[in-house]
Amino acid sequence: MNPIEIAPGVYDVGVTDWNIRDFHGYSTDLGTTYNAFLVVDEKIALIDSVKKEFADALIDNISRIVDPRKIDVVISNHTELDHSGSLARIMHRIGEDKPLYCSKMGAKNLVRHFPQKWNYQAVGSGDELKLGRRTLAFLETRMIHWPDSMFSYLKEDGILFSSDGFGQHYAGPERFDDEIGDRIMVHAKKYFANILLLYATHIEKLIRQVAEMKLNLRMICPDHGVIWRSDPGKIVKAYLNWCRQEPEKKAVVIYDTMWHSTEKMAEAINAGIMAEGVPSKPMHLRAWHRSEVMTEVFDAKAVVVGSPTLNNNLFPTVADFLCYMKGLKPKNKIGAAFGSYGWSGEAVKLIENELTGVKIELAQAGLKVQFVPERPNLDACHEFGRKIGRAVSGP
Amino acid sequence: MERYVCQVCGYIYDPAQGDPDNGIAAGTPFAKLPDSWECPVCGASKADFTKEA
């Protein structure tokens, strides 16, 4: 993408990765962007960089505005390689001795990624950098979502450079929230559910701290996706809401199947849940990516998981999903397990152990069917679903 | 001595190691850490730690 002036003298010089479909295990069906920003004042500052393989495009974008060698300072808000991967090229181009501002943990973490002896300037909350007419203020935001994460705030313009916070994996013709409208919210929610959920309590505290600072927030520029300029308060409010993890009255039935038996159970259970007026969706783990499933789990009240027993164990995709969900620690949920089996039937118990291990309260005992479910088995599945539906819709 | 786990980032405070980067000598039990002590990885407060299971 070409650079755009987002405010007088402030440019988005980032790049679009149209073709990425798997972002470290997160499905990016529409691609993503790596945003980087150039502030041109008496001093010229580059805020964040992009993935290594896009270094040329970043340098080209910067060159359309200024000679990259004129950059005086670089700010690294986050060490992760999609935002730091081009640093080696950038620092080499602008001068290896130019100051590189980052958090204290950023300095520790960047040296574990890059062998160069750069001129690290570790900053923390309250520290400021005068660029001329403008001032950058730094705010440490550890665990949003790495220990090194920080925000940079351009005071005079009211622009918050929020690193991965408020980001969305989305690539499209739009660069601003008002150009895409509410369609962007599903991408923002998916990002929160898959990247930030584990730190929800921590993020809520931080947002409240920032709110007390009463910043004149005119624009939020995350490092992925569109820039929030029409109503930056909207995404902040959405985050506060998501941090509370108050589920919606809906369910999700997550499963895999070998010879369609667990699938038949899943569909009967799903129909039972819906018969109680509760929206529910069956999600086959080889049809849906784990990050899509996690997005559904995020705001669902009930998480119903089914697996056939394979070699006395869980089906591998189910184990994959349970492991993924365990790491993200969703809260305030009920759950149940089901599955078909041939002769031993361990899977249901194994699912229950995983659900209770992540503090998902079991709504009822698991349901097992040997080999192929017949009509009475499917009726039992339907009733099993209805019971979950009632637990979701109940007081 | 008991180890404590940060509920925010997973860092484990091990009294045998202490936190020498932040002036906590090896051998300091978790209970004896000053209230102002913070998780050296993520900055969480003492209240965010629980005893290792």
Side-chain angles (χ1 to χ4, degrees):
Chain A
M1 82 194 164
N2 289 335
I4 45 167
E5 192 169 24
I6 59 171
V10 184
Y11 302 84
D12 181 353
V13 288
V15 301
T16 305
D17 190 347
W18 296 102
N19 300 329
I20 189 167
R21 291 293 176 270
D22 183 329
F23 186 97
H24 65 41
Y26 175 121
S27 64
T28 45
D29 298 340
L30 300 172
T32 191
T33 71
Y34 313 114
N35 303 339
F37 301 92
L38 194 71
V39 183
V40 180
D41 205 308
E42 285 164 31
K43 279 185 180 167
I44 298 176
L46 174 67
I47 302 173
D48 289 325
S49 77
V50 301
K51 248 184 173 177
K52 189 179 183 179
E53 51 267 46
F54 291 88
D56 283 338
L58 172 66
I59 291 170
D60 190 48
N61 278 348
I62 296 168
S63 306
R64 287 163 191 256
I65 299 156
V66 295
D67 178 344
R69 285 170 299 189
K70 290 192 173 153
I71 292 174
D72 298 288
V73 295
V74 176
I75 288 111
S76 167
N77 280 327
H78 180 24
T79 305
E80 201 169 7
L81 285 163
D82 48 337
H83 309 298
S84 72
S86 304
L87 272 181
R89 285 283 306 285
I90 290 286
M91 296 309 287
H92 185 69
R93 184 71 177 261
I94 72 171
E96 306 273 356
D97 56 340
K98 295 271 175 77
L100 175 51
Y101 286 79
C102 58
S103 66
K104 191 170 79 179
M105 295 308 288
K108 270 190 180 177
N109 292 350
L110 281 167
V111 298
R112 303 304 299 266
H113 288 75
F114 302 97
Q116 293 87 338
K117 302 272 181 249
W118 286 327
N119 174 15
Y120 290 109
Q121 301 288 322
V123 287
S125 297
D127 289 337
E128 293 187 348
L129 171 64
K130 225 36 199 159
L131 296 174
R133 192 180 68 75
R134 298 182 177 85
T135 318
L136 266 176
F138 303 106
L139 178 66
E140 269 198 88
T141 58
R142 290 188 188 189
M143 305 325 286
I144 304 183
H145 60 119
W146 277 22
D148 46 73
S149 300
M150 71 172 189
F151 290 177
S152 301
Y153 178 63
L154 198 58
K155 285 169 80 171
E156 293 76 6
D157 299 77
I159 303 176
L160 183 70
F161 300 98
S162 61
S163 182
D164 278 340
F166 311 115
Q168 335 94 43
H169 282 312
Y170 175 78
E174 309 88 352
R175 294 301 305 129
F176 296 97
D177 58 342
D178 48 290
E179 293 170 345
I180 184 168
D182 277 345
R183 281 188 296 127
I184 198 60
M185 294 310 285
V186 293
H187 303 288
K189 183 164 87 172
K190 180 176 175 181
Y191 194 92
F192 185 92
N194 285 276
I195 305 282
L196 301 173
L197 184 58
L198 174 61
Y199 307 113
T201 318
H202 192 65
I203 293 169
E204 187 178 0
K205 266 192 237 166
L206 189 104
I207 291 178
R208 297 206 182 282
Q209 273 172 21
V210 174
E212 279 166 23
M213 293 162 74
K214 301 215 185 303
L215 305 180
N216 175 24
L217 213 54
R218 279 186 234 152
M219 207 182 281
I220 298 178
C221 298
D223 275 353
H224 295 291
V226 302
I227 292 167
W228 307 94
R229 74 171 173 191
S230 68
D231 182 9
K234 183 178 172 174
I235 187 64
V236 176
K237 271 186 223 134
Y239 263 52
L240 279 174
N241 184 34
W242 293 337
C243 285
R244 282 193 287 273
Q245 297 193 60
E246 283 166 11
E248 290 176 20
K249 289 191 174 187
K250 69 171 200 179
V252 54
V253 180
I254 303 157
Y255 72 98
D256 209 322
T257 193
M258 294 168 72
W259 294 104
H260 302 291
S261 290
T262 304
E263 181 173 55
K264 285 176 185 156
M265 294 179 75
E267 292 189 3
I269 290 168
N270 193 70
I273 297 170
M274 293 205 296
E276 292 291 337
V278 172
S280 181
K281 179 146 103 178
M283 298 182 98
H284 184 311
L285 283 165
R286 277 177 291 156
W288 292 92
H289 191 272
R290 71 170 82 83
S291 54
E292 291 291 346
V293 179
M294 194 59 218
T295 310
E296 280 297 313
V297 165
F298 167 58
D299 53 10
K301 175 71 188 169
V303 182
V304 188
V305 182
S307 175
T309 294
L310 173 62
N311 302 329
N312 308 105
N313 218 314
L314 291 169
F315 194 78
T317 54
V318 179
D320 171 295
F321 180 74
L322 290 170
C323 169
Y324 186 61
M325 182 171 71
K326 184 183 192 173
L328 288 160
K329 288 198 180 120
K331 285 186 183 150
N332 307 326
K333 304 204 183 294
I334 58 171
F338 67 95
S340 69
Y341 67 102
W343 45 95
S344 58
E346 288 89 344
V348 167
K349 186 69 203 157
L350 291 168
I351 292 168
E352 288 182 336
N353 290 346
E354 290 296 322
L355 294 178
T356 52
V358 67
K359 297 195 171 76
I360 293 177
E361 186 195 331
L362 297 179
Q364 60 184 312
L367 186 59
K368 286 199 279 194
V369 171
Q370 191 172 22
F371 288 117
V372 179
E374 294 176 46
R375 190 74 257 163
N377 302 120
L378 293 174
D379 288 345
C381 288
H382 195 270
E383 189 47 42
F384 184 87
R386 290 192 80 126
K387 201 169 165 190
I388 291 160
R390 286 194 295 274
V392 170
S393 64
Chain B
M1 274 188 287
E2 279 149 341
R3 307 197 317 163
Y4 279 72
V5 185
C6 175
Q7 294 306 297
V8 177
C9 73
Y11 164 86
I12 296 173
Y13 177 77
D14 181 356
Q17 309 284 327
D19 177 15
D21 285 353
N22 295 296
I24 306 295
T28 307
F30 184 80
K32 289 275 168 68
L33 292 171
D35 288 342
S36 58
W37 181 81
E38 289 179 338
C39 173
V41 172
C42 73
S45 66
K46 266 182 88 175
D48 290 319
F49 279 72
T50 55
K51 207 184 288 180
E52 191 178 39

